[in-house]
Amino acid sequence: MKRKKNNVSISSSNKKTKSRDSELAQFLSPVGISLRQDRHCSSSDIDTIVRELSVKLLDTQARDNFFIMLQDYIDEVENLKVAMLPLVKEDSTTHFNSDSLIKILLRVPSISEQLTELLLEKLPLVAEDRTCNIAALTVSQLRWMNSLSYDVIITKLNEVLPVCPLPVQKEMISGLPEILPDEKHEEACELLLDHISTLDLVPCILETLSELSLSHKMLDKVHEAVEVQLCALSADSVPAALRFLLSTAPPDKAVSSIRQHIDFQSLCKSGEGMEAEELSMECLEQVLRFHNKIQKCWLSLLHSSSSLSVFDLLVYLILYRVNNKPKTVLSSIRFHLKEGTFNASLVQDLYRNHAKTAALFNSEQLKIAHSLLLSFPEHSLPSLLYLSVFTHGDLHAQQEVVGSLISHIGSGQSKEVDSGIRTLGLIKDSTDKSVDRFSSLLNGLLDYLNTLSIPQAREVLYLLVRISSAGSCRTVDDIHIITRKYLSHSSTKLRKLGIIGSCSLVQALSVESTDKAKTFISKVQESLSRAPELEALFYDELASCVGNGCVDRETVQLIYDTYVDKFQSDFVSREPVDSTSQVCDILCLEGADTLENDETGHISINLWNCVEAENPTQLMVLCPLLRLVGTSLAILENSMEDIDSILGCYIRALPLDDIVTCERSTVGLLALINLVIEQINVFHVERRPSMRNKLVKRIKLLQELLGLLRKVPVVDDMVPMVFDLAEDLGTSKSKKGQSSKSTLNDSAADVSKDMSLFDPTKTGTMKTSTQLDKSENDVEAGAVAVTKPKKHVSSWSSGVKFRGFIRELDIRTMAILNLSIESTLQSNESSAQSEVEPMSLGLPETCMMLEDLLSKCKFKLKPASVFSKPENSLGFSRVASLSETKFTQQILSILPALCQTMEDNVSQPKETSSDSQETSQNQSAMNSTLEEIAMLEDNPFGVKTFELVFSILELVFSWSGFATNSQISTECFSILASRTQNQTQGPLSVRRKHALHYLLNFEKSCQSFSSTINLLKCCSVISDSKDQRISDICKSCLQREWDITEDEKENKVRFNEGVGYLVRTFLSHSSENQGDLLDLLVEQLDVVVKKDEDVEKIFPTFTRATLPTIYKIVLTKLVEYQKSISSDKENGLDILTNCVGNFANLITYIKIIESRPLLRSALLYGQKFLESFLAIGLPLLSPMISDNYVEVQSILKKIQTSTRQLHHATTHSKSLKDIALTARVPLLKKFLEAFLLKVKAIFAHHGCTDAFWVGNLKQRNLKGEEIVSQQVEEEEEEEGDVDDLSELSIDTDDEDNNSRAAPDDENSDSMSIGY
């Protein structure tokens, strides 16, 4: 029964609805509207229908009844949809106008408001219907209607939008500009701002806001609301935000907001939102392409930025594409590259998270990389750009990269060629076989071989061989052809290129067949039989090829069997004992028990026969052949047991005391040194204690021999040991009229500049007055300055002038430094056994090895700012063949030994000074006590060790790849942290902190000024923030009295630079107020300059000699401190007062001391200080004139005295006719004039024109004396004609103008500015 009742009720409601529908149809039929099921029809025009309906609905009851019928009718979704469709003509299926039934009814004034509310209330109810977009139809009904109640629409939307689905919300929001008139746009804006926190609606809201007509005040409010939401935007919303801000906000504000709040790196992690990111870039490109103002503003902000992000890098690429002058964009990129803000980590981040987006700008990246490589060929960033484009680009981009690198290699510019080869090798190493597909294109590099240097050609040939190993036989054939051609050529350089090509072919042929390699080696050997230098180069090249593991093991065995017999037959013999001969056997090492020594003689290397023969053939070939034999054996057995007699045998030569006085002393000494060096290179892999002891003795002998080089001259018949030069180094084949002395000096000029003689008396140590008065003649006569005589110290610096004639000590031999650790462990184990007691290196030998390592680090490890002149590669051919990463790993392998050496030296001063217990053990040896000076003289190597180790560590830390290579940096910090017995686990920042703590512990053990400076440099590099401990060390060093050798000008320059570094580091790392520190420094400078006895002298290092260096640094820091007002406006007035006072004080120094360096610094930094004062200081003072007039006037009067003195300085510079000083005058005078005009404008703006007066300033020199010359008078007349301001004379007093006759009076109550 219930079911029947329900059916009855439903049927009754349907009947009621149908009856009302029929009533609505009957109501609309007289006015010409026929309701149908699928589409309503009209028989009259729209205006007639609206007019008749308006008349019929004037009655309230009729209107209410009609609205009820209409409401019941559109409750059905289908009816509502049909009611919103355009009407059609009677008896037709096409509509003749665009108005629907709802739109017609909305034009009826009496029901328009009610119908609008009804439609908006229906939106949440009908939104689920997916058959038709009701929201879009509703918007179309309300669009462009003039008779609507807009307040009702805004109010109702505010109620309905939160409960509507997201698609309906977007439809309604996007339709607002076409629904509401302009006067209602700001109300609509308020409505939209209420919903902008809904992130999904942000793109739609921003697009709608950009179409509204808003006032400037409302736009500012909108921009603030949008900036708040920028950080939370999703990747899909970024394009709309970019388009809105750039099209509506001022360019500078829009760019700043975008750069500050949008972080693409966090938006697109794990590949999310990559399509949206590409859309953002396209949007940004469209905006920038057609808006030059935004381009200029964005480029200006990027150029002045102190750091760059990945987004900034993408913007740079867009600007380079759309800018009409891409050179301006490239100039800004170069600037950031110099500053270090555009670095490798930025490029790596770009391709790590945005590779797909970066690929859109491959052509721009290639152009930028090409230009940067031309400008900075030594920098690694262009190579990284090429590598990134090749790795992530398509085939076309890879071909463009290879073609560009080939053009670089064939350019003929040495640095550009080196960078191109390095980049191509990096691509080969990183991309495995991707570059092999371009082998036919790379074969074109063979056409440029004769234009390359020998090291460059070596890298190209070996690179081509590596590429050919992937299956390109054509490359090997081409190299074979060109090698045979060069070997038969008459040119020395081309024959050397043929030798290098031959060694590369040995590497390629050994993979195919050992017989082919054997045949080829024999043919090459025959062609070089009459050319000892080329034969030596062949042995060296072949040894390098074997040592790199590039040759098959069977081929290596063949090479060893062939050349070990040759070495024994040519150089090793059994010499009889001849007591009457002047030539004797030296270097008879203990432990050579395997050698027979009887009446028939003993095994030896007769070196002196080679020297006296005056034939360089055997001397040239000896060491390279020994290297080839030793390298081959090391590859085969990893031991030198088969040839260990070479290390322990005798060497036939003159006694060491006579070798420097004989006729061929230089040649004989160099030959002996080269043989010892090559023995060390070959046998450094030995692990047997007896052989290790022999090796230590060889090193001790090498240290002694290098000291003898000081006593021999440079002669013409020296035998060269560097064979990979384009021309011969010796005079036997030098050009006519040119000696080997001049050739050698030219080739080693750059090296000798950077190498200092290793003498502990030149390290900045303390000397007494007695020592300083002693001359060299007194010392030779036996006069002694201290309790013990000086020890002569030898080093590699003795052989700088012989760099091309001495063999290179291999970097791998630095592992010998670990002997100091190993020997200690082995001595404990062997003390109870009858084994050979292990020997260890002494401090002199350690210093020798460290000095050689330091020279290699200076050559190989380029700092982050690699824009300094590179060192000459002469003598570093083996190091040059290593990558920077492998070289650094070799240093890290001996880092524990370096630390152990320093730790051992810490305890030595305590042992040597045990007799003087009254002196503090922590006190440095720089104090003026004879006991400590004697200790320092007695152990000079301990002092030098710290200096060398810290210099090496500084170069490693400053290397551009140290920060980017996390493996190396982590390993290095872990080794240093482990020395403090701290945990070596944890993040890199923790390990860095422990490493810094370990190094700072050596501060009190550094016994020289140089070692202390090197320690601070080393610690400053790895300190990632301000460190008060470093600042305290700098301050204590500044408070110490350091003395240097009086007769060494070079030492004085280094000392002055060191003091400047201490001041700079003290200011940058101190946590105290910067203004107080500057006050302290200026006060101490006053003591030096003005000799104020009332002030205590805290820093003895502040002298007249160090004044120019410190003066420049303090002025620089003053300019920086004044610029900090922008970030600290609350204390702006105090900062400005401090800066102006100190600046005025510093400028007076040029009047007291006549010093060209001081004058140059005053002109340069005076201009910079005035520039920042005009940009920051005056805008800060201008609003304060009304409230703090006295303070403002005091600041301006102080700076006025400085500008007057600077004006005198410009006149003085012109009178001196100093070009360097005069060049800085125009820009300085420009800011002096600008200062005058702006101060006048500020006082005029505040109605204080009587507060100062402007008059002519007489031409005076620095002493204040008037300069009278026709030339200066003419200049004054010309300046007066140009600017009438020079004739202004305004005063606050009501006295005569005679009171203004003394513009130089500083005590006047008025502001007087001379021009």
Side-chain angles (χ1 to χ4, degrees):
M1 296 296 293
K2 292 183 180 178
R3 188 172 183 179
K4 291 182 179 180
K5 288 183 179 180
N6 289 335
N7 291 336
V8 172
S9 62
I10 292 174
S11 61
S12 62
S13 62
N14 289 336
K15 289 181 180 179
K16 191 178 294 184
T17 302
K18 290 181 179 180
S19 63
R20 288 182 178 176
D21 292 347
S22 60
E23 292 177 1
L24 180 63
Q26 294 176 0
F27 185 86
L28 295 175
S29 180
V31 299
I33 297 177
S34 301
L35 299 184
R36 296 182 180 178
Q37 187 174 0
D38 54 348
R39 183 68 65 91
H40 301 326
C41 300
S42 172
S43 59
S44 302
D45 62 282
I46 301 301
D47 294 334
T48 303
I49 294 174
V50 171
R51 186 168 51 254
E52 292 180 1
L53 281 175
S54 300
V55 173
K56 292 184 69 174
L57 296 177
L58 288 176
D59 182 60
T60 303
Q61 186 176 0
R63 184 168 62 248
D64 293 341
N65 293 332
F66 174 78
F67 197 79
I68 292 173
M69 292 186 292
L70 179 64
Q71 186 175 2
D72 292 339
Y73 177 76
I74 63 178
D75 281 343
E76 293 285 341
V77 177
E78 290 298 326
N79 292 339
L80 177 62
K81 180 175 67 175
V82 174
M84 291 183 179
L85 296 178
L87 299 176
V88 296
K89 220 182 239 190
E90 199 73 40
D91 300 329
S92 175
T93 58
T94 59
H95 62 275
F96 62 92
N97 56 48
S98 59
D99 286 347
S100 63
L101 173 61
I102 297 296
K103 201 162 188 176
I104 292 174
L105 295 177
L106 286 173
R107 296 176 61 180
V108 178
S110 57
I111 63 171
S112 174
E113 183 175 342
Q114 287 180 301
L115 181 58
T116 302
E117 290 183 3
L118 178 62
L119 290 175
L120 295 178
E121 289 174 354
K122 287 285 183 182
L123 287 177
L125 303 177
V126 300
E128 296 181 358
D129 184 20
R130 299 181 180 181
T131 59
C132 183
N133 192 349
I134 301 298
L137 290 175
T138 304
V139 171
S140 66
Q141 309 306 306
L142 301 176
R143 185 181 288 119
W144 312 120
M145 296 293 293
N146 297 327
S147 58
L148 299 178
S149 176
Y150 302 113
D151 293 334
V152 173
I153 294 176
I154 295 174
T155 303
K156 187 58 67 173
L157 277 179
N158 198 18
E159 298 174 359
V160 172
L161 277 180
V163 297
C164 287
L166 185 63
V168 175
Q169 292 178 342
K170 292 182 178 180
E171 286 289 346
M172 296 307 300
I173 290 174
S174 60
L176 285 178
E178 298 173 350
I179 295 175
L180 302 176
D182 290 351
E183 57 270 14
K184 294 295 181 179
H185 281 184
E186 294 201 357
E187 296 183 22
C189 179
E190 295 285 355
L191 169 66
L192 295 177
L193 290 180
D194 293 338
H195 296 84
I196 200 171
S197 58
T198 305
L199 297 180
D200 293 333
L201 291 176
V202 169
C204 181
I205 291 176
L206 293 179
E207 187 175 354
T208 302
L209 288 173
S210 62
E211 299 177 6
L212 298 179
S213 299
L214 304 177
S215 62
H216 292 293
K217 185 177 180 180
M218 181 58 69
L219 272 177
D220 293 339
K221 185 177 179 180
V222 171
H223 293 152
E224 291 177 2
V226 172
E227 287 178 6
V228 173
Q229 299 298 324
L230 282 179
C231 297
L233 288 181
S234 62
D236 297 333
S237 304
V238 171
L242 290 175
R243 188 180 296 107
F244 174 76
L245 287 175
L246 293 174
S247 60
T248 59
D252 54 345
K253 184 178 180 181
V255 174
S256 299
S257 300
I258 292 172
R259 292 186 67 243
Q260 183 177 359
H261 296 101
I262 296 182
D263 185 9
F264 275 91
Q265 194 154 354
S266 60
L267 286 176
C268 302
K269 287 183 178 179
S270 303
E272 298 178 359
M274 295 302 296
E275 295 182 359
E277 183 180 349
E278 294 175 19
L279 291 175
S280 300
M281 294 299 103
E282 292 178 4
C283 169
L284 192 58
E285 182 180 347
Q286 292 175 0
V287 173
L288 292 176
R289 187 181 295 277
F290 301 106
H291 294 82
N292 289 331
K293 288 185 178 180
I294 299 179
Q295 282 187 31
K296 294 178 181 179
C297 179
W298 209 315
L299 185 60
S300 176
L301 285 176
L302 288 177
H303 185 76
S304 59
S305 177
S306 59
S307 62
L308 293 180
S309 63
V310 173
F311 178 65
D312 293 332
L313 184 54
L314 290 172
V315 172
Y316 262 129
L317 296 175
I318 295 175
L319 288 172
Y320 189 84
R321 173 182 289 182
V322 304
N323 201 307
N324 294 329
K325 297 180 179 179
K327 288 185 177 181
T328 58
V329 181
L330 197 58
S331 176
S332 179
I333 294 176
R334 287 196 189 101
F335 170 78
H336 282 290
L337 187 62
K338 290 181 180 180
E339 295 295 320
T341 50
F342 182 31
N343 48 38
S345 61
L346 191 64
V347 178
Q348 291 169 354
D349 290 342
L350 171 65
Y351 278 93
R352 186 182 299 113
N353 301 316
H354 314 272
K356 191 174 180 180
T357 304
L360 300 174
F361 305 97
N362 279 339
S363 59
E364 284 73 27
Q365 292 182 75
L366 287 177
K367 293 176 184 178
I368 293 174
H370 182 89
S371 180
L372 292 180
L373 192 143
L374 295 178
S375 303
F376 311 109
E378 299 169 13
H379 207 287
S380 61
L381 191 61
S383 301
L384 182 60
L385 283 174
Y386 275 124
L387 174 63
S388 302
V389 174
F390 188 90
T391 305
H392 299 89
D394 54 9
L395 185 61
H396 174 72
Q398 291 178 347
Q399 185 175 351
E400 289 292 328
V401 171
V402 174
S404 180
L405 292 177
I406 291 176
S407 66
H408 285 306
I409 296 174
S411 65
Q413 300 295 327
S414 179
K415 295 180 180 179
E416 184 181 351
V417 172
D418 290 337
S419 183
I421 297 173
R422 183 176 64 248
T423 305
L424 191 57
L426 180 64
I427 292 176
K428 171 60 181 174
D429 295 336
S430 303
T431 59
D432 195 16
K433 298 182 180 181
S434 298
V435 74
D436 297 342
R437 68 183 71 175
F438 304 103
S439 58
S440 58
L441 185 61
L442 290 170
N443 281 349
L445 291 175
L446 295 175
D447 299 333
Y448 301 114
L449 276 185
N450 56 351
T451 64
L452 304 179
S453 66
I454 292 180
Q456 292 168 348
R458 178 190 294 114
E459 294 185 31
V460 169
L461 286 170
Y462 280 102
L463 182 60
L464 290 178
V465 168
R466 288 170 55 196
I467 294 175
S468 68
S469 63
S472 177
C473 298
R474 179 185 172 186
T475 303
V476 177
D477 295 339
D478 291 344
I479 296 176
H480 199 169
I481 293 171
I482 201 169
T483 296
R484 294 181 60 184
K485 174 184 175 182
Y486 283 166
L487 284 174
S488 60
H489 205 279
S490 59
S491 172
T492 302
K493 178 186 176 182
L494 294 183
R495 294 189 71 183
K496 290 181 178 180
L497 291 178
I499 291 171
I500 296 173
S502 302
C503 295
S504 64
L505 281 177
V506 170
Q507 174 182 332
L509 294 175
S510 66
V511 179
E512 300 178 9
S513 172
T514 305
D515 294 336
K516 289 184 179 180
K518 178 181 179 180
T519 305
F520 186 76
I521 290 174
S522 62
K523 289 182 179 180
V524 175
Q525 185 70 46
E526 291 176 3
S527 66
L528 303 176
S529 58
R530 297 183 181 180
E533 184 179 1
L534 300 180
E535 186 179 359
L537 176 60
F538 178 66
Y539 294 152
D540 265 337
E541 287 296 324
L542 195 56
S544 299
C545 192
V546 171
N548 293 332
C550 302
V551 182
D552 183 72
R553 188 176 182 84
E554 294 182 4
T555 307
V556 174
Q557 183 67 51
L558 172 66
I559 293 172
Y560 173 73
D561 295 339
T562 303
Y563 290 107
V564 71
D565 296 336
K566 179 177 176 57
F567 181 82
Q568 291 178 358
S569 62
D570 291 350
F571 300 106
V572 180
S573 62
R574 181 179 295 276
E575 297 291 340
V577 179
D578 186 2
S579 59
T580 62
S581 176
Q582 190 179 16
V583 178
C584 65
D585 297 319
I586 63 172
L587 314 177
C588 179
L589 300 179
E590 298 178 1
D593 300 331
T594 59
L595 301 178
E596 296 182 2
N597 188 6
D598 51 23
E599 63 276 0
T600 61
H602 47 252
I603 296 177
S604 65
I605 298 176
N606 199 333
L607 184 65
W608 201 252
N609 286 346
C610 301
V611 174
E612 289 184 333
E614 297 186 3
N615 185 359
T617 301
Q618 289 184 313
L619 288 180
M620 283 185 181
V621 174
L622 172 61
C623 293
L625 188 55
L626 177 58
R627 178 191 177 190
L628 177 59
V629 172
T631 305
S632 302
L633 185 58
I635 293 294
L636 294 173
E637 300 182 6
N638 197 24
S639 173
M640 297 291 110
E641 186 174 356
D642 292 348
I643 60 171
D644 56 1
S645 59
I646 296 177
L647 181 63
C649 70
Y650 295 89
I651 298 177
R652 298 284 291 172
L654 290 178
L656 296 184
D657 296 336
D658 300 333
I659 199 171
V660 295
T661 59
C662 68
E663 182 179 357
R664 294 178 59 79
S665 59
T666 304
V667 178
L669 184 58
L670 289 175
L672 187 56
I673 290 174
N674 289 325
L675 179 58
V676 174
I677 289 177
E678 205 55 55
Q679 285 178 331
I680 296 172
N681 289 339
V682 170
F683 291 95
H684 77 277
V685 297
E686 275 290 349
R687 292 293 182 267
R688 291 174 291 171
S690 59
M691 297 301 293
R692 278 299 181 99
N693 287 350
K694 295 177 183 180
L695 189 62
V696 170
K697 288 185 178 181
R698 290 297 192 209
I699 296 174
K700 291 178 181 293
L701 174 65
L702 178 60
Q703 193 264 345
E704 185 178 357
L705 292 175
L706 288 174
L708 295 178
L709 279 179
R710 297 173 181 268
K711 302 179 181 180
V712 296
V714 176
V715 295
D716 290 341
D717 57 348
M718 294 186 298
V719 180
M721 285 293 137
V722 180
F723 306 110
D724 57 355
L725 300 177
E727 300 295 338
D728 296 330
L729 193 60
T731 55
S732 58
K733 297 183 181 180
S734 61
K735 295 180 181 180
K736 184 178 180 181
Q738 185 180 14
S739 65
S740 64
K741 193 171 184 177
S742 60
T743 307
L744 178 62
N745 291 338
D746 292 340
S747 61
D750 295 332
V751 179
S752 59
K753 289 180 181 179
D754 296 331
M755 297 289 292
S756 61
L757 292 178
F758 176 39
D759 193 338
T761 61
K762 302 177 184 178
T763 57
T765 55
M766 182 69 184
K767 300 291 181 182
T768 61
S769 59
T770 305
Q771 289 176 284
L772 296 177
D773 294 336
K774 298 296 181 180
S775 63
E776 293 180 350
N777 295 331
D778 295 335
V779 175
E780 292 178 0
V784 181
V786 290
T787 56
K788 292 186 179 182
K790 296 180 181 180
K791 288 186 178 181
H792 184 72
V793 182
S794 62
S795 71
W796 286 99
S797 59
S798 307
V800 169
K801 57 184 178 180
F802 302 102
R803 177 63 62 81
F805 302 91
I806 296 180
R807 299 285 291 179
E808 180 183 359
L809 196 63
D810 199 299
I811 180 64
R812 290 172 292 185
T813 61
M814 295 300 161
I816 299 173
L817 292 172
N818 291 322
L819 285 175
S820 59
I821 300 177
E822 296 176 4
S823 61
T824 303
L825 299 176
Q826 292 176 4
S827 62
N828 296 333
E829 296 175 359
S830 63
S831 58
Q833 303 175 5
S834 59
E835 295 182 359
V836 179
E837 183 179 354
M839 298 176 60
S840 61
L841 295 177
L843 280 179
E845 296 78 30
T846 302
C847 286
M848 179 193 69
M849 302 292 287
L850 290 178
E851 193 175 21
D852 181 67
L853 179 59
L854 177 61
S855 65
K856 288 179 169 59
C857 290
K858 288 181 178 179
F859 169 77
K860 192 64 181 177
L861 298 181
K862 302 300 180 184
S865 56
V866 293
F867 309 106
S868 58
K869 182 181 178 181
E871 287 199 30
N872 196 321
S873 60
L874 184 66
F876 296 105
S877 58
R878 297 192 190 185
V879 176
S881 62
L882 292 175
S883 66
E884 292 179 342
T885 302
K886 291 183 179 179
F887 179 81
T888 310
Q889 289 173 347
Q890 291 286 344
I891 297 178
L892 294 183
S893 65
I894 63 171
L895 184 55
L898 300 183
C899 296
Q900 185 65 44
T901 302
M902 291 193 297
E903 292 167 8
D904 293 341
N905 284 329
V906 169
S907 59
Q908 286 186 10
K910 298 179 182 179
E911 297 173 0
T912 55
S913 59
S914 58
D915 296 333
S916 54
Q917 295 294 335
E918 67 277 0
T919 309
S920 175
Q921 293 180 350
N922 293 330
Q923 190 176 10
S924 172
M926 296 303 103
N927 293 328
S928 55
T929 60
L930 289 174
E931 292 82 0
E932 291 178 341
I933 294 171
M935 176 199 71
L936 184 61
E937 293 281 341
D938 187 50
N939 186 27
F941 297 102
V943 178
K944 191 66 177 179
T945 300
F946 286 101
E947 180 181 345
L948 292 173
V949 173
F950 290 140
S951 298
I952 293 170
L953 290 178
E954 181 204 350
L955 289 173
V956 173
F957 295 152
S958 302
W959 169 47
S960 57
F962 184 81
T964 57
N965 194 322
S966 59
Q967 180 180 357
I968 288 181
S969 57
T970 302
E971 182 181 356
C972 180
F973 291 144
S974 298
I975 293 174
L976 295 176
S978 64
R979 310 299 296 187
T980 59
Q981 298 179 353
N982 288 318
Q983 292 184 355
T984 58
Q985 304 299 324
L988 184 63
S989 58
V990 176
R991 304 184 191 192
R992 182 196 300 267
K993 180 181 178 181
H994 291 320
L996 180 62
H997 177 70
Y998 169 73
L999 293 175
L1000 288 175
N1001 288 339
F1002 287 104
E1003 181 261 329
K1004 295 182 179 180
S1005 301
C1006 294
Q1007 301 176 17
S1008 69
F1009 182 76
S1010 299
S1011 59
T1012 306
I1013 293 296
N1014 290 339
L1015 169 64
L1016 289 171
K1017 289 181 179 179
C1018 182
C1019 294
S1020 297
V1021 172
I1022 64 174
S1023 177
D1024 53 356
S1025 60
K1026 287 187 176 183
D1027 196 311
Q1028 186 61 38
R1029 292 172 298 176
I1030 297 179
S1031 177
D1032 294 339
I1033 295 174
C1034 292
K1035 187 174 182 180
S1036 64
C1037 291
L1038 291 172
Q1039 292 175 338
R1040 252 193 236 166
E1041 292 187 3
W1042 305 88
D1043 280 349
I1044 58 173
T1045 309
E1046 292 293 338
D1047 57 349
E1048 286 296 332
K1049 181 179 180 181
E1050 183 181 357
N1051 242 14
K1052 294 178 183 178
V1053 173
R1054 290 184 178 182
F1055 179 77
N1056 293 345
E1057 293 175 353
V1059 172
Y1061 177 79
L1062 290 174
V1063 173
R1064 192 182 301 109
T1065 310
F1066 170 61
L1067 289 174
S1068 59
H1069 281 272
S1070 179
S1071 58
E1072 299 180 21
N1073 182 267
Q1074 197 77 3
D1076 297 338
L1077 296 178
L1078 291 172
D1079 288 339
L1080 175 63
L1081 293 178
V1082 174
E1083 180 182 327
Q1084 291 300 305
L1085 289 177
D1086 284 344
V1087 177
V1088 176
V1089 176
K1090 301 177 182 179
K1091 298 181 179 180
D1092 190 355
E1093 298 179 356
D1094 296 335
V1095 180
E1096 180 185 1
K1097 189 173 184 180
I1098 302 176
F1099 300 141
T1101 50
F1102 283 25
T1103 62
R1104 288 292 179 99
T1106 59
L1107 176 62
T1109 303
I1110 304 172
Y1111 184 76
K1112 179 179 179 180
I1113 294 172
V1114 175
L1115 280 175
T1116 305
K1117 293 297 181 180
L1118 270 180
V1119 175
E1120 295 177 0
Y1121 188 45
Q1122 183 175 231
K1123 291 181 179 179
S1124 67
I1125 295 177
S1126 302
S1127 57
D1128 189 12
K1129 294 185 178 181
E1130 295 181 358
N1131 303 318
L1133 185 60
D1134 296 335
I1135 295 175
L1136 189 63
T1137 304
N1138 180 283
C1139 291
V1140 170
N1142 287 326
F1143 179 73
N1145 201 0
L1146 291 173
I1147 293 299
T1148 58
Y1149 294 174
I1150 61 177
K1151 187 175 181 180
I1152 301 174
I1153 300 177
E1154 293 186 7
S1155 172
R1156 187 177 181 277
L1158 290 184
L1159 185 58
R1160 183 175 61 248
S1161 299
L1163 292 175
L1164 174 62
Y1165 292 99
Q1167 170 256 315
K1168 293 184 177 181
F1169 186 88
L1170 282 177
E1171 182 180 4
S1172 62
F1173 181 81
L1174 294 177
I1176 302 174
L1178 279 183
L1180 178 69
L1181 295 177
S1182 179
M1184 297 182 181
I1185 291 180
S1186 57
D1187 299 329
N1188 301 313
Y1189 176 79
V1190 177
E1191 294 183 14
V1192 174
Q1193 187 186 37
S1194 175
I1195 292 174
L1196 292 177
K1197 289 187 70 174
K1198 284 182 181 179
I1199 199 170
Q1200 174 206 2
T1201 60
S1202 304
T1203 58
R1204 184 178 301 160
Q1205 193 64 37
L1206 288 174
H1207 180 82
H1208 296 334
T1210 59
T1211 306
H1212 180 74
S1213 301
K1214 287 183 178 181
S1215 63
L1216 292 178
K1217 298 182 180 180
D1218 190 319
I1219 299 177
L1221 295 178
T1222 307
R1224 305 189 184 280
V1225 169
L1227 192 58
L1228 176 59
K1229 296 200 73 173
K1230 172 186 175 182
F1231 285 104
L1232 289 173
E1233 295 168 7
F1235 171 73
L1236 169 71
L1237 296 174
K1238 289 192 176 183
V1239 170
K1240 178 192 173 185
I1242 288 175
F1243 277 100
H1245 176 73
H1246 290 276
C1248 306
T1249 54
D1250 295 337
F1252 74 106
W1253 64 274
V1254 183
N1256 285 326
L1257 193 62
K1258 294 181 179 180
Q1259 304 290 342
R1260 301 178 185 274
N1261 57 19
L1262 293 178
K1263 294 182 179 180
E1265 300 171 350
E1266 185 176 351
I1267 299 176
V1268 181
S1269 66
Q1270 183 65 27
Q1271 181 179 0
V1272 175
E1273 290 176 358
E1274 291 176 357
E1275 290 177 359
E1276 288 182 353
E1277 292 175 1
E1278 292 174 0
E1279 291 173 357
D1281 293 337
V1282 172
D1283 196 346
D1284 295 337
L1285 289 176
S1286 60
E1287 299 179 0
L1288 291 176
S1289 179
I1290 306 173
D1291 201 313
T1292 54
D1293 299 331
D1294 294 332
E1295 301 176 1
D1296 293 338
N1297 290 337
N1298 294 333
S1299 63
R1300 308 167 192 155
D1304 289 345
D1305 186 7
E1306 299 179 5
N1307 297 323
S1308 174
D1309 293 335
S1310 61
M1311 275 291 298
S1312 58
I1313 302 178
Y1315 169 72

